[in-house]
């Protein structure tokens, strides 16, 4: 019997809600209380997410963020900062055996990111993993989209989006961002460290497609690609009651708090 | 298409339910649509407690010996419905085989209480089989809900396996009785796919439901609500739900909702809206 996963299209939520929902799904799955889940979502209002190990004050001009009402939230995954605007974020929660992602973390990363590679191929693009085209190691950057990892996706020599993973024994949690449009000016002024030549290093889907792409179109392509890549069926659904209650608690008691967001 | 999850709205609804000491089937049965419905401040109320006297293997509701009937519950349900300003409310219950009338009087009181507060609201009740007692069914009919539902749940062959204590023919008889005794009350039923039924059995159930003039039908994928519950035997392809919908509509149902995540009270307002639209 074909394996079933849950597919949640939760639309646009605030940054605290988004992170709280992801963690609630992860906790419920660790107790085997839900199906493995692929969730796709957007951010409203646009906001920064910061990698778990980053120091927010080193990445963002917090005074300016406060003045302009730009929110930020710390993720449970590592990686670098992302400005979530005109993009789609996905999160994936499963056990290793539910996606046959055995082997090293790197191998697992390659395996999981292959659904993105296939999604971009479906759009007629020619994507590669960074390791395949032997991109030189990037300079240390505080921004996700400007630093290369082996299994980041490169199109026309530029990085498209970014992904980060968290593992807990056999449990895998990965999320990633797919920029639909990228206007560097939208977020540049909020950064403490301003990377040079950003335009030459990063791209959005619209840049490489040469046309507009809607949130729903990419959602649907992601869904189909995921089903085909992993031979699973994604059944559309929402949170369980337990997840909903947990997410509410996590939003209020964790992700909204400065204690969490300024942790390091 | 997006099912925005509004945690604030979900929380507000949880608080309201807790304050009014009310249960919902959404919570008790681990409904997969709960975040979508609660975000829209919609809930299906569960009356007569949250402990069921039957032992259906597909259902997550607690089983055991229920407590005494809370006679003030109908008023509190009406209060919740009024505060939420619902235009369509669905009321269901656990099965109460321990009560002489199966809880029919309590259903009726709940309907009266809601109607007293909100004259124009559409009231849908999803009733148990009341052991087939006509007098009990009559009590509910007399309270004049707009829709009376009774779920057939599965095909007759699987009743002894997953729905012990129920009887396929008795369930059909409940729907038949509602039609025979009521004037203008719509009837509705629901079936789950993926419990191990075959296509010909499903189509036969559709025909049986139409023979008793059932108006509305919901068709959804069975999802095991817990590890203890009956396992899913098949994940039915979404295209098959469209196929079954067409087959059911061809038999004369007024409206059919069919899809993996369809549940009997999911988007309940759509059934009647569809009928009203067709009248225009």
């Amino acid at each position: 019997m074909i394996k079933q996963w849950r597919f949640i299209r939760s639309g646009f939520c605030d940054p605290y809600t988004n992170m709280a929902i992801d963690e609630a799904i992860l906790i419920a799955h660790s107790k085997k209380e839900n199906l493995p889940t692929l969730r796709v979502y957007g951010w409203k209002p646009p906001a920064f997410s910061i990698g778990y190990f980053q120091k927010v004050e080193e990445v963002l001009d917090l005074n300016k963020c406060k003045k302009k009402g730009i929110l930020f939230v710390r993720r449970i995954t590592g990686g670098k900062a992302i400005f979530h605007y005109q993009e789609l974020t996905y999160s994936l929660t499963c056990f290793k055996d539910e996606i046959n992602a055995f082997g090293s973390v790197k191998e697992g990363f390659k395996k999981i990111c292959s659904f993105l590679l296939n999604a971009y191929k479906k759009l007629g693009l020619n994507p590669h993993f960074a390791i395949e085209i032997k991109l030189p190691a990037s300079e240390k950057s505080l921004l996700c989209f400007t630093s290369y990892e082996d299994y980041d996706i490169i199109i026309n020599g530029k990085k498209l989006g970014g992904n980060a993973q968290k593992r807990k024994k056999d449990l895998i949690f990965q999320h990633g961002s797919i920029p639909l449009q990228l206007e560097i000016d939208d977020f540049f002024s909020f950064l403490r460290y301003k990377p040079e030549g950003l335009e030459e290093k990063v791209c959005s889907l619209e840049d490489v497609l040469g046309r507009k792409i809607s949130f729903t179109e990419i959602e649907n392509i992601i869904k189909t690609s995921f089903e085909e890549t992993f031979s699973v069926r994604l059944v559309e659904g929402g949170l369980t009651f337990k997840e909903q209650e947990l997410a509410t608690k996590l939003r209020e008691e964790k992700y909204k708090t400065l204690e969490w967001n300024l942790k390091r | 298409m997006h099912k925005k999850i509004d945690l604030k709205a979900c929380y507000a609804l949880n608080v309201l339910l807790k304050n009014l000491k009310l249960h919902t089937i959404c919570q008790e049965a681990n409904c997969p649509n709960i975040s979508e419905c609660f975000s829209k401040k919609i809930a299906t109320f569960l009356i007569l407690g949250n402990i069921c006297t039957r032992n259906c293997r597909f259902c997550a509701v607690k089983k055991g010996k229920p407590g005494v009937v809370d006679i003030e519950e109908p008023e509190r349900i009406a209060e919740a419905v009024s505060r939420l300003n619902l235009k369509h409310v669905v009321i269901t219950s656990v099965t109460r085989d321990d009560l002489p009338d199966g809880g029919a009087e309590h259903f009726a009181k709940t309907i009266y209480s809601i109607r007293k507060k909100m004259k124009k609201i559409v009231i849908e009740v999803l009733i148990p089989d009341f052991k087939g007692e006509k007098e009990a069914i009559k009590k509910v009919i007399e309270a004049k809900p707009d829709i009376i539902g009774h779920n057939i749940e599965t095909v007759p062959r699987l009743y002894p396996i997953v729905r012990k204590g129920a009887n396929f023919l008795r369930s059909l008889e409940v729907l038949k009785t509602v039609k025979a005794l009521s004037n203008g009350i719509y009837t509705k039923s629901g079936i789950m796919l993926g419990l191990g039924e075959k296509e010909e059995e499903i189509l036969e159930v559709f025909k049986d439901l139409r023979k008793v003039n059932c108006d509305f039908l919901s068709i959804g994928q069975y999802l095991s609500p817990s590890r203890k519950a009956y396992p899913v035997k098949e994940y039915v392809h979404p295209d098959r739900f469209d196929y079954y919908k067409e087959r059911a509509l061809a038999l004369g149902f007024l409206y059919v909702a069919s899809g993996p995540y369809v549940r009997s009270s999911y988007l309940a307002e759509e059934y009647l809206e569809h009928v009203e639209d067709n009248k225009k």
Side-chain angles (χ1 to χ4, degrees), chain B residues 36 50 83 89 142 175 189 228 236 253 260:
Chain B
E36 182 187 352
N50 62 347
R83 284 197 212 169
V89 62
E142 282 168 357
L175 291 161
S189 195
K228 284 182 194 163
V236 179
F253 285 100

Side-chain angles (χ1 to χ4, degrees), chain B residues 36-190:
Chain B
E36 182 187 352
C37 296
F38 272 35
S39 292
K40 292 190 258 181
K41 296 187 178 176
I42 295 171
T44 295
F45 295 96
L46 183 71
I47 59 172
L48 292 159
N50 62 347
I51 298 173
C52 186
T53 52
R54 298 262 174 102
N55 199 18
C56 299
R57 290 183 63 197
F58 54 79
C59 182
V61 173
K62 290 181 210 87
K63 282 93 180 162
K65 200 177 166 191
V68 291
V69 174
D70 177 352
I71 55 166
E72 288 167 1
E73 187 179 51
E75 283 301 322
R76 297 202 307 277
I77 293 270
E79 180 60 28
V81 172
S82 164
R83 284 197 212 169
L84 293 168
N85 197 22
L86 296 179
K87 291 180 175 63
H88 185 124
V89 62
V90 186
I91 310 289
T92 190
S93 78
V94 288
T95 299
R96 293 291 304 256
D97 289 332
D98 57 316
L99 301 174
D101 71 348
E105 182 74 34
H106 198 75
F107 260 103
K109 280 181 181 164
T110 306
I111 297 166
Y112 290 129
S113 296
I114 296 169
R115 195 71 84 195
K116 204 169 144 191
K117 263 191 187 298
M118 301 179 81
K119 301 263 180 295
K120 287 184 178 171
I121 192 169
V122 174
I123 302 177
E124 175 176 339
V125 288
L126 176 63
I127 58 172
D129 64 20
F130 296 128
K131 293 185 189 164
E133 292 292 337
K134 281 196 172 58
E135 281 309 307
I137 299 168
K138 208 172 155 190
K139 272 185 197 169
V140 180
I141 291 169
E142 282 168 357
K144 295 184 182 162
D146 300 279
I147 301 171
I148 296 182
H150 175 67
N151 286 343
I152 210 78
E153 309 288 15
T154 186
V155 300
R157 178 175 57 84
L158 295 175
Y159 265 59
I161 303 166
V162 299
R163 213 183 175 206
K164 286 175 191 165
N167 178 306
F168 181 78
L169 292 177
R170 186 167 71 193
S171 280
L172 278 181
E173 196 62 30
V174 169
L175 291 161
K176 190 178 174 182
T177 303
V178 173
K179 268 290 170 206
L181 298 181
S182 71
N183 185 12
I185 294 179
Y186 292 101
T187 52
K188 179 174 170 182
S189 195

